[in-house]
Amino acid sequence: MRSHYCGDINTSHLGQEVTLVGWVNRSRDLGGVVFLDLRDREGLIQVVYDPDLKDVFDVASTLRSEFCVQVKGLVRARPESQINPDMKTGEVELLGKELTIINAAAPLPLSMDNHQNNSEEQRLKYRYLDLRRPEMAERLIFRSKVTSAVRRFLDDNGFLDMETPILTKATPEGARDYLVPSRTYKGQFFALPQSPQIFKQLLMMSGFDRYYQIVKCFRDEDLRADRQPEFTQIDIETSFMSSEQVMAKTEEMVRGLFKDLLNVDLGEFPRMPYSEAMARFGSDKPDLRNPLELVDVADLVKDVEFAVFSGPANDAEGRVAALRIPTGASLSRKQIDNYTKYVGIYGAKGLAWMKINDLDAGMEGVQSPILKFLNEDIVKQIVERTGAQTGDIILFGADNATVVAEAMGALRLKAGEDFDLLEGEWKPLWVVDFPMFEKINGGLHAVHHPFTAPRSVTPEQLAADPAGTVSDAYDMVLNGCELGGGSVRIHDAKMQATVFDILGIDEQEANDKFGFLLEALRYGTPPHAGLAFGLDRIIMLMTGASSIRDVMAFPKTTTAACPLTNAPGFANPQQLVELGVSVIEKQPEQDAE
């Protein structure tokens, strides 16, 4: 039905007759001449109909936005005064000779222009219309280019594209799994995979030493702008490669994507230990475009008569950190109060502050409600350590180390944006040397997953000091966003059993959940390592979208619902009987007495 795409017509086609199909982006009648902007996935072209062909002109006069039409006409140059440099087809237009309405469009339920202000609910309900907008179409086309480039790179480097099961067994984090009831095994359930982790390890054990898959994964968890219940991973696993080699190869892939598709040279990625990232930035995915850093001052305030500082300063699990904001002394009390409320979201009980109004005036030039608790020597040392200058403000976080990192790390990002401090467009890095375990509610939990190998220790050494052991893991971070993470895997049965024991997974539970994996480890398992990238996040960053929902064709809302199909929905009662599943209906809330 077409000879060309609309957006592909250019001056090389002058004088040619072409056939185009697409949607009416806009139609306007100007002095007896109808101008039609025809749109398809590749772009727009202007079509002109004049009254000389009355029958065709009359049809053109009836067109409205989003009519699906076929156009035949002659490519000609636009008049000099009408050339549009912002359009791919801005130097040419089509003189319409024939026009066929393939399908008319009813009045639209949402705006289709570039300045649309439709709600996200509307956009997702009518996603098939929303995706016609050039901005959205370009993102999905770009996504396709990224996946093609990834496949080419991995294919050229000896990786095999291999599928793993979608119906599998619940993971250790089973509370977050999507469960699928089995009709043939009533009362039992499959789980949708949070990742292909176990299966890709089994492929390594099977001798397929370089695997990849662009795969759907599922997590039933609270959602944010960069989270979805179903998402896509670029999943990679290798045998006989060290963590350094895996990082080098995947870094090469990502640098190639940015160079080939955006003409951006990311350069070499620096390495930063997890402990340094948390100390300096309060985050394991620091945005290095932001020059602000946290500075520890606990040693300076451990003896002050201000319990808010001295308490955490003398607690082994506490922290007192300072954040200097250049020119921040201009903040009003209301603005400081707003920052205090902001850190409260992350568990902070308050936010102490100190304005340096005049550095040369000593204590006279310092303004702070906590100044009465600090002598001149302590203030001087805080100023020197933070590098504060006249006109700056120093903000303090004091609490347990986790709260301080989360609250002050978030405040660092907010202040960086508020004061327009970001430097450079792209700042990548690798965060390495993560702890093997973290303490949660008195117990130890794997920072990554229970198949991550420790770095350079024996099972006995790991058991003796699990909290102090570093894992052989690595995360790729770009502009404060984790693009992907991976690790060297455990390939020794004794080491895997030790990790399960530390995590409180007894032998029976380990065999119930991972018996096949533990069995496989007994038969010549090679050393192996891998990494998984979040494809949606990569596309979001590369296209400048604010949410991964804007780079997915049919995403869910933040409540994990689909307005387009009204999913999830209730199952057919007969199906539930066949599955052996009963549903507990939500009870209406009782009226307060």
Side-chain angles (χ1 to χ4, degrees):
M1 295 184 71
R2 65 155 63 97
S3 63
H4 299 78
Y5 281 104
C6 296
D8 291 341
I9 302 298
N10 55 47
T11 53
S12 69
H13 300 100
L14 291 175
Q16 296 182 21
E17 288 199 351
V18 297
T19 302
L20 309 177
V21 292
W23 290 267
V24 176
N25 192 68
R26 188 169 59 146
S27 179
R28 53 207 186 277
D29 189 337
L30 301 177
V33 178
V34 172
F35 289 88
L36 171 71
D37 289 340
L38 188 66
R39 183 192 72 241
D40 62 19
R41 75 176 204 190
E42 296 298 329
L44 292 166
I45 189 169
Q46 178 173 279
V47 186
V48 181
Y49 288 95
D50 60 46
D52 293 346
L53 299 173
K54 185 177 186 308
D55 291 344
V56 177
F57 183 83
D58 289 345
V59 174
S61 299
T62 68
L63 297 179
R64 295 195 309 269
S65 293
E66 300 309 310
F67 272 44
C68 184
V69 299
Q70 181 189 57
V71 170
K72 295 183 180 181
L74 180 72
V75 181
R76 68 184 187 183
R78 285 197 190 194
E80 188 76 26
S81 61
Q82 295 180 21
I83 290 176
N84 185 346
D86 296 327
M87 289 178 62
K88 283 200 303 181
T89 61
E91 294 182 280
V92 297
E93 63 185 12
L94 198 68
L95 177 61
K97 300 294 186 181
E98 297 180 32
L99 175 62
T100 302
I101 297 177
I102 298 172
N103 213 329
L108 301 176
L110 73 171
S111 171
M112 297 290 288
D113 62 41
N114 289 335
H115 304 290
Q116 58 86 23
N117 58 354
N118 307 304
S119 69
E120 186 170 71
E121 187 80 10
Q122 284 179 299
R123 292 178 58 205
L124 296 184
K125 182 176 181 179
Y126 299 101
R127 191 63 162 180
Y128 45 87
L129 293 177
D130 188 50
L131 292 179
R132 291 183 191 174
R133 294 191 300 113
E135 180 182 42
M136 294 301 297
E138 288 167 8
R139 287 171 180 167
L140 292 188
I141 292 170
F142 185 84
R143 182 185 179 114
S144 177
K145 291 178 180 178
V146 169
T147 56
S148 294
V150 166
R151 291 184 189 280
R152 284 195 301 272
F153 178 88
L154 294 173
D155 289 341
D156 291 346
N157 281 273
F159 288 81
L160 302 174
D161 184 357
M162 307 184 77
E163 294 181 346
T164 53
I166 293 296
L167 295 177
T168 182
K169 199 168 186 177
T171 65
E173 298 83 13
R176 296 187 293 148
D177 285 329
Y178 278 101
L179 299 179
V180 180
S182 169
R183 182 180 60 82
T184 50
Y185 296 92
K186 287 188 177 181
Q188 298 186 52
F189 294 83
F190 293 104
L192 302 181
Q194 293 188 34
S195 83
Q197 183 62 44
I198 292 177
F199 291 103
K200 65 180 181 179
Q201 288 192 245
L202 291 171
L203 286 171
M204 297 303 102
M205 299 171 188
S206 304
F208 299 100
D209 61 324
R210 292 194 177 193
Y211 141 97
Y212 82 93
Q213 186 180 188
I214 298 179
V215 59
K216 280 284 190 181
C217 300
F218 308 86
R219 289 181 188 167
D220 188 6
E221 61 183 0
D222 295 334
L223 305 176
R224 299 193 298 270
D226 59 347
R227 294 285 175 89
Q228 280 280 291
E230 54 178 315
F231 56 95
T232 305
Q233 282 188 181
I234 303 170
D235 206 51
I236 297 170
E237 196 77 8
T238 69
S239 295
F240 307 112
M241 288 180 71
S242 67
S243 55
E244 289 294 329
Q245 291 171 316
V246 171
M247 284 190 281
K249 184 59 64 177
T250 53
E251 181 179 319
E252 180 186 350
M253 182 184 78
V254 171
R255 285 205 315 269
L257 287 177
F258 275 76
K259 185 63 177 176
D260 295 342
L261 298 178
L262 296 181
N263 197 28
V264 168
D265 185 1
L266 292 178
E268 297 295 325
F269 291 25
R271 309 290 172 87
M272 182 178 295
Y274 168 87
S275 57
E276 180 183 342
M278 297 303 293
R280 293 173 59 191
F281 308 110
S283 172
D284 60 359
K285 46 182 183 294
D287 187 347
L288 297 186
R289 296 173 302 167
N290 185 334
L292 302 181
E293 295 192 19
L294 305 185
V295 177
D296 285 313
V297 294
D299 60 310
L300 303 180
V301 297
K302 62 181 181 180
D303 296 324
V304 301
E305 295 182 3
F306 185 43
V308 172
F309 278 7
S310 59
N314 288 284
D315 186 341
E317 297 185 357
R319 184 180 183 188
V320 183
L323 177 69
R324 177 183 72 92
I325 304 176
T327 72
S330 61
L331 286 171
S332 67
R333 185 54 191 264
K334 181 179 180 181
Q335 290 172 312
I336 294 174
D337 288 344
N338 287 337
Y339 276 174
T340 303
K341 292 177 183 177
Y342 182 75
V343 296
I345 297 172
Y346 300 90
K349 301 179 184 68
L351 185 68
W353 56 272
M354 181 186 296
K355 289 184 178 182
I356 312 301
N357 296 322
D358 184 352
L359 185 62
D360 295 331
M363 293 291 278
E364 294 293 325
V366 178
Q367 176 187 355
S368 173
I370 63 170
L371 205 58
K372 59 187 175 183
F373 299 110
L374 309 175
N375 61 42
E376 185 172 0
D377 184 54
I378 291 175
V379 171
K380 182 179 179 181
Q381 291 184 73
I382 290 174
V383 169
E384 289 178 350
R385 186 171 295 183
T386 59
Q389 301 295 319
T390 296
D392 295 351
I393 191 172
I394 303 171
L395 304 176
F396 299 89
D399 210 308
N400 71 63
T402 300
V403 169
V404 170
E406 292 182 357
M408 298 301 287
L411 181 60
R412 168 184 173 268
L413 295 178
K414 181 170 177 56
E417 292 183 358
D418 291 348
F419 284 81
D420 195 24
L421 297 175
L422 274 63
E423 302 168 347
E425 188 173 3
W426 303 101
K427 291 290 182 72
L429 80 155
W430 286 102
V431 178
V432 297
D433 294 342
F434 287 82
M436 274 287 288
F437 306 101
E438 59 184 340
K439 290 182 180 180
I440 301 178
N441 297 326
L444 290 177
H445 296 257
V447 169
H448 279 80
H449 54 65
F451 313 108
T452 298
R455 185 188 293 277
S456 305
V457 296
T458 64
E460 293 76 17
Q461 290 171 325
L462 175 63
D465 184 22
T469 302
V470 170
S471 64
D472 202 350
Y474 33 86
D475 282 1
M476 182 186 288
V477 177
L478 180 63
N479 292 2
C481 181
E482 179 193 330
L483 294 188
S487 67
V488 173
R489 322 303 188 186
I490 296 170
H491 68 280
D492 174 74
K494 185 176 181 181
M495 180 67 79
Q496 187 66 74
T498 301
V499 170
F500 284 158
D501 184 57
I502 291 169
L503 294 174
I505 301 174
D506 61 30
E507 186 175 351
Q508 181 63 50
E509 183 181 2
N511 283 323
D512 288 344
K513 291 183 175 179
F514 311 111
F516 57 93
L517 177 67
L518 296 175
E519 176 76 5
L521 288 172
R522 298 173 54 204
Y523 303 114
T525 296
H528 54 288
L531 184 147
F533 288 103
L535 175 64
D536 311 300
R537 290 187 188 178
I538 291 175
I539 306 299
M540 180 180 73
L541 277 178
M542 295 183 78
T543 61
S546 60
S547 164
I548 61 171
R549 291 189 292 280
D550 282 339
V551 298
M552 304 171 77
F554 299 103
K556 305 293 189 290
T557 66
T558 53
T559 58
C562 176
L564 175 65
T565 62
N566 287 323
F570 293 101
N572 185 301
Q574 183 58 41
Q575 284 182 301
L576 295 178
V577 172
E578 291 180 351
L579 293 168
V581 172
S582 62
V583 176
I584 301 174
E585 294 187 13
K586 182 179 179 181
Q587 298 298 314
E589 294 183 8
Q590 298 294 320
D591 293 334
E593 296 183 2

